[in-house]
Amino acid sequence: MSDVRLSAPPDRGSYRTGFATGLGVVLVAGLVLAIVDVVHTGVVMPVLGLWALVALPIGLAIGIVLAAGNAQWGTGWVRGVFRKLREEPELDRAIAAVLIAAAIAGGILAYGVARLSLMLVADVQRKTTGALLLGVVVVALVPIFALAALPLYRIARRVTAIVPAIGPLSRVVLLLVLAVAAAVAAGAFIVLTQLDYQAMNLGSIVMPALLPVIATVVGLLAYGPLAGVRERIPSRGILVIVGALLAAVLPFVGLRAPSDQVRVTVLDRSYLGNRLIPRLRKLFDKDGDGVSTFFGEKDCDDHDPSVYPGAPEIPENGKDDNCVGGDTKREAVPQASGSGATQAPASTLSGGKNVLVIFIDTLRYDRLGFTGYKRDGKSLTPRIDAFAAQSVVFENAYSQAPNTPRSVPSFLASRYPTELALTGKKGTNYPTVLDDNDLLFEALKTGDFKTYGITSHFYFCNREPDTCPDITWIRSNIWQGADQWDNRDAVGIGPSNKDIAGPRIVKKAIAKLEDIAKAAPDGGKFGMLVHLFEPHSTYVEHEGMPPITEHGTAALAQKYDYEVAFVDQRVGEILDTLDKTGLAKTTTVVLMSDHGEGFGIHRVGGEEMFFHGRSLHREMLHVPLMFRVPGVQPRKVPDVVQLLDLAPTVANLFAIKPPATWQGRSLVPALEGKPLDPRPAYAEMVRVGDWEHESQSIITADDKRHVIFLDNSDWEIYDLAADPEERKNLATSDPDAEKLKAQLTQWMDRAKSTPSAGGTPKPPPAGANP
């Protein structure tokens, strides 16, 4: 094409014109989007700085391309290309055929890569290896598909002979327009039908993608209908240079030392904030410890990799290791809490002969009918409501972690998540629970209990080929102390999101209970845990439930509610079996959940918390915990308690000495109607590979305040009585803020008995001097 004159011959001015045009239209487009973002956030300078960081390099690249084109073919070469395509049908057909062949071959390659990604990379335990294998396969496939494109080109040439140019649109332009439209339609289809788009920050995806679109529109207008306006603007080149200089300066001015309010607003609301700032923080992390000082991140010594928010605090070592409260004095650091259970007062209360723990995944306390929640004018949980009326209900029970792989071992081992003995690489989502932990079933075994686990979920897979033949990447080792653990028909992570596991789990549980009753009418002393997976996301619509009528976040909540109603029916089937077999008379039944769920009320790291696992707000931690004990009067207990009190309470009910490693306390006094010593509830969110944030929190013993410490040294304090949904942060206005912070800080600085995989403390990077 270099031999063909497409426009006026190039001259020195044409280079500058091309460069100024490319840079100018992109800067104008960036300014338009930045103004929209400023209106959206109410923050000016940092937002302008972020958009300048994106627009300037793209504008420079486009400017260089246009300048090079002008140098080769002269000013107006882009319009010349389109004119030439219209004037030369054979050239138009040839290029269109190339595009069609490339699109088909590329589409097949992309589909193959996507399928391979699911097989090689989706498994959370082998992402690195899978990604490496995927890269090798893709490199090998590229030349094969390049060769395959040759026959596709020949076919496409025949097809393009049939497709005519439409008016001023050549075949190439028509294909490009259709391709863009198809890509937008396909993207919208995937987002709306295949993804939980309610949980996605669509603005942060759509707005940056609009930059080239708006730049193209600006260019078409400037050289089309508004060409006269453009030509009347004096010193256009100088204006572009001034704009580029401003864009270069804005990030340095706008992203320096923001206030806490500005920092949080930009991270939470800006269309670029939660995407770009975390990457810039990694870039400016001088000591490689994962925390920097960029844009208000609070590494108090960015030259020492052992000092960062969330680091283990070492008393009297001359530095503030965790950037909270200064260097701790040795006498101020409490030891790990040890066994509160061994201090339980003597009691004549008996739990009967057996214990059954019905463990419902992801069940929020405030979604139960007896707490006052209704949908469609009625309670969704009539069976659980009836059970609560027969039980001692702990109204303020809190989980110690916001997700299953941290909460389950925590309440079974009665230890805080970062004090569990775990194995596995730091940041592992599903670490193995070491034998050093003393789990509930192991304690029951010392009391001559027969112990059974009834589940059907990948987390409980233990590399046992008869229960999980296709899930070999996980060994939770949560089976410790179990005589039998039936985890048949468990599916992997992806399929589990659409799995309806409840009916088959309940069927197995009923069969086991009936077998136990046949062998011994009173149960013969057994302990059983039944895990019901619903209402875990992604929420599934169930036959017999009302149709989903809501949209957006409200639809998520509605689907969740109907899953709660579905699991309520499954609970009823288990309770009916206890009644039918007579086991109800001799069995203590515990109904509880491991964590709650969120529906977008809060943000962490700039992302809305629609689902669990990534924050410690109350909706994630407040869970049901109720005990139906033979002969014990039902009541409601308002005291603050923790899930790690579950195991010591069960042990106390059956006169079993609790292991010394347990850190919870027995709640038997409350079952007897006696007061409990006031104690706060603590929780931890550990850092894992796909969520590089950690957090600690405390619910005060009077259940009046919730204090949360985030890994970037942010504090949140909520008044639970006045603000149960935790919408107003009182960290800077609560008169007791410093005292509350100190209480949580002291617990964070406690001397831990066992380091934990995947949580604090995290090791310094390789080569660092601790």
Side-chain angles (χ1 to χ4, degrees):
M1 192 178 291
S2 60
D3 297 330
V4 180
R5 180 64 49 81
L6 297 177
S7 59
D11 56 35
R12 183 174 300 176
S14 67
Y15 311 153
R16 294 194 298 267
T17 300
F19 182 78
T21 299
L23 179 57
V25 296
V26 175
L27 288 179
V28 170
L31 180 60
V32 170
L33 292 171
I35 291 172
V36 174
D37 206 356
V38 166
V39 173
H40 177 65
T41 60
V43 176
V44 180
M45 293 303 292
V47 170
L48 291 176
L50 288 173
W51 282 100
L53 272 178
V54 172
L56 183 58
I58 294 177
L60 290 172
I62 299 298
I64 291 171
V65 170
L66 292 181
N70 283 3
Q72 181 69 26
W73 301 301
T75 305
W77 65 272
V78 174
R79 285 171 292 173
V81 168
F82 292 131
R83 183 176 64 252
K84 192 170 185 63
L85 290 173
R86 291 195 302 270
E87 293 171 352
E88 299 185 20
E90 282 302 312
L91 178 63
D92 186 23
R93 285 179 55 194
I95 295 178
V98 169
L99 293 175
I100 292 173
I104 294 174
I108 295 172
L109 178 61
Y111 177 79
V113 170
R115 299 297 299 178
L116 287 170
S117 298
L118 292 175
M119 292 186 292
L120 299 175
V121 184
D123 194 330
V124 296
Q125 297 298 92
R126 57 186 187 201
K127 282 184 177 177
T128 304
T129 303
L132 179 61
L133 291 173
L134 179 64
V136 172
V137 172
V138 171
V139 170
L141 288 176
V142 167
I144 297 174
F145 278 89
L147 292 174
L150 293 176
L152 289 173
Y153 169 76
R154 297 188 181 96
I155 297 172
R157 280 298 299 264
R158 297 190 180 95
V159 172
T160 54
I162 302 173
V163 179
I166 300 178
L169 297 179
S170 67
R171 293 178 179 86
V172 172
V173 173
L174 182 62
L175 284 172
L176 290 175
V177 171
L178 292 175
V180 170
V184 171
F189 174 80
I190 292 172
V191 167
L192 296 176
T193 65
Q194 304 299 311
L195 302 177
D196 291 310
Y197 69 92
Q198 299 97 332
M200 299 171 64
N201 187 352
L202 290 180
S204 66
I205 298 173
V206 173
M207 292 295 285
L210 287 177
L211 182 63
V213 176
I214 294 178
T216 301
V217 171
V218 170
L220 292 175
L221 291 174
Y223 285 87
L226 300 181
V229 176
R230 173 181 59 81
E231 292 170 355
R232 287 195 294 271
I233 298 174
S235 305
R236 295 189 299 274
I238 295 176
L239 287 176
V240 171
I241 296 301
V242 171
L245 292 175
L246 286 174
V249 171
L250 275 173
F252 294 97
V253 176
L255 300 177
R256 291 186 61 186
S259 67
D260 287 345
Q261 182 177 354
V262 167
R263 173 174 50 80
V264 171
T265 300
V266 170
L267 280 168
D268 283 354
R269 296 184 59 79
S270 171
Y271 297 122
L272 289 179
N274 67 336
R275 301 284 179 181
L276 196 54
I277 287 176
R279 290 167 173 79
L280 292 171
R281 283 174 167 172
K282 288 183 179 180
L283 180 66
F284 290 102
D285 180 13
K286 297 176 183 177
D287 56 12
D289 60 9
V291 186
S292 73
T293 59
F294 179 77
F295 201 69
E297 196 168 35
K298 298 176 182 178
D299 189 344
C300 50
D301 188 345
D302 205 17
H303 299 283
D304 186 341
S306 67
V307 174
Y308 53 88
E313 181 65 29
I314 302 173
E316 298 181 1
N317 66 342
K319 53 188 177 182
D320 182 9
D321 303 278
N322 63 5
C323 299
V324 180
D327 185 20
T328 304
K329 301 299 181 183
R330 193 171 301 278
E331 63 271 14
V333 180
Q335 295 294 310
S337 54
S339 175
T342 57
Q343 303 168 8
S347 173
T348 58
L349 182 62
S350 169
K353 295 185 67 69
N354 319 299
V355 60
L356 168 63
V357 178
I358 302 176
F359 155 30
I360 303 173
D361 213 306
T362 323
L363 180 60
R364 289 171 54 141
Y365 179 81
D366 63 1
R367 262 346 200 239
L368 302 173
F370 73 87
T371 70
Y373 187 77
K374 292 182 179 181
R375 180 177 284 278
D376 306 324
K378 61 182 179 180
S379 167
L380 296 170
T381 55
R383 298 307 306 268
I384 294 177
D385 298 345
F387 177 81
Q390 303 168 344
S391 305
V392 177
V393 177
F394 291 91
E395 297 178 294
N396 292 301
Y398 293 95
S399 173
Q400 276 55 74
N403 57 5
T404 296
R406 306 296 167 174
S407 181
V408 171
S410 174
F411 73 71
L412 288 180
S414 189
R415 302 176 81 168
Y416 291 105
T418 58
E419 294 187 44
L420 288 162
L422 306 174
T423 188
K425 184 180 178 182
K426 295 288 181 180
T428 299
N429 279 299
Y430 303 99
T432 297
V433 179
L434 295 177
D435 293 341
D436 295 350
N437 302 283
D438 298 296
L439 272 58
L440 174 60
F441 277 4
E442 293 179 290
L444 292 179
K445 291 298 292 180
T446 67
D448 298 324
F449 278 73
K450 289 287 186 182
T451 50
Y452 310 99
I454 308 294
T455 59
S456 187
H457 187 262
F458 68 83
Y459 175 69
F460 300 98
C461 287
N462 241 18
R463 297 178 184 165
E464 300 290 332
D466 56 334
T467 62
C468 300
D470 300 322
I471 306 174
T472 59
W473 52 268
I474 188 170
R475 182 175 181 266
S476 65
N477 199 33
I478 208 74
W479 294 15
Q480 296 172 46
D483 290 310
Q484 295 178 18
W485 198 293
D486 188 343
N487 194 49
R488 287 172 295 166
D489 303 316
V491 298
I493 292 178
S496 74
N497 287 325
K498 297 294 183 181
D499 187 27
I500 301 177
R504 68 174 181 268
I505 293 170
V506 169
K507 182 178 180 180
K508 294 191 295 183
I510 290 174
K512 176 54 68 177
L513 290 170
E514 290 175 344
D515 288 345
I516 290 171
K518 289 178 184 177
D522 61 359
K525 214 169 188 182
F526 73 85
M528 181 184 294
L529 181 144
V530 178
H531 169 248
L532 298 175
F533 186 50
E534 294 87 6
H536 195 286
S537 61
T538 302
Y539 315 123
V540 178
E541 296 183 45
H542 298 280
E543 186 177 349
M545 293 294 159
I548 302 302
T549 57
E550 303 286 356
H551 302 280
T553 304
L556 280 180
Q558 188 179 28
K559 290 178 183 178
Y560 174 87
D561 284 353
Y562 292 151
E563 284 240 289
V564 171
F566 179 79
V567 82
D568 179 74
Q569 296 174 355
R570 308 290 78 75
V571 170
E573 293 171 10
I574 296 174
L575 297 175
D576 288 344
T577 302
L578 290 176
D579 291 334
K580 184 176 68 174
T581 58
L583 292 174
K585 299 175 183 178
T586 59
T587 303
T588 287
V589 181
V590 184
L591 190 144
M592 48 82 66
S593 181
D594 57 343
H595 56 77
E597 187 67 296
F599 295 113
I601 294 176
H602 296 100
R603 287 176 177 264
V604 174
E607 294 189 27
E608 290 180 282
M609 297 294 102
F610 287 94
F611 303 109
H612 60 271
R614 297 188 169 191
S615 84
L616 293 181
H617 292 97
R618 193 185 194 200
E619 65 267 19
M620 305 292 185
L621 302 179
H622 192 198
V623 293
L625 177 63
M626 55 191 85
F627 291 75
R628 189 179 76 178
V629 183
V632 172
Q633 291 297 312
R635 62 175 57 86
K636 292 183 178 180
V637 179
D639 304 68
V640 170
V641 300
Q642 306 181 97
L643 282 190
L644 51 76
D645 299 331
L646 168 64
T649 304
V650 171
N652 196 192
L653 279 172
F654 295 94
I656 294 172
K657 183 179 179 180
T661 58
W662 285 6
Q663 296 174 329
R665 58 168 168 169
S666 171
L667 304 179
V668 164
L671 300 181
E672 297 177 306
K674 300 174 183 177
L676 291 170
D677 292 334
R679 293 190 187 182
Y682 297 100
E684 300 175 301
M685 180 183 71
V686 302
R687 189 187 306 266
V688 294
D690 57 356
W691 187 241
E692 296 184 358
H693 298 278
E694 57 189 55
S695 187
Q696 297 83 24
S697 83
I698 177 176
I699 304 284
T700 56
D702 58 9
D703 199 45
K704 290 183 178 180
R705 292 292 188 272
H706 187 190
V707 184
I708 304 174
F709 177 75
L710 304 174
D711 58 358
N712 58 2
S713 295
D714 282 339
W715 290 91
E716 296 178 3
I717 299 177
Y718 298 102
D719 182 338
L720 296 181
D723 181 24
E725 289 190 336
E726 301 181 333
R727 293 179 181 271
K728 184 177 181 181
N729 183 6
L730 304 177
T732 59
S733 60
D734 193 305
D736 295 323
E738 294 309 312
K739 184 168 63 176
L740 292 167
K741 293 176 184 179
Q743 188 176 0
L744 179 56
T745 299
Q746 187 180 41
W747 181 77
M748 291 162 55
D749 288 346
R750 72 198 185 282
K752 297 183 181 180
S753 56
T754 306
S756 168
T760 52
K762 69 176 182 180
N769 295 317

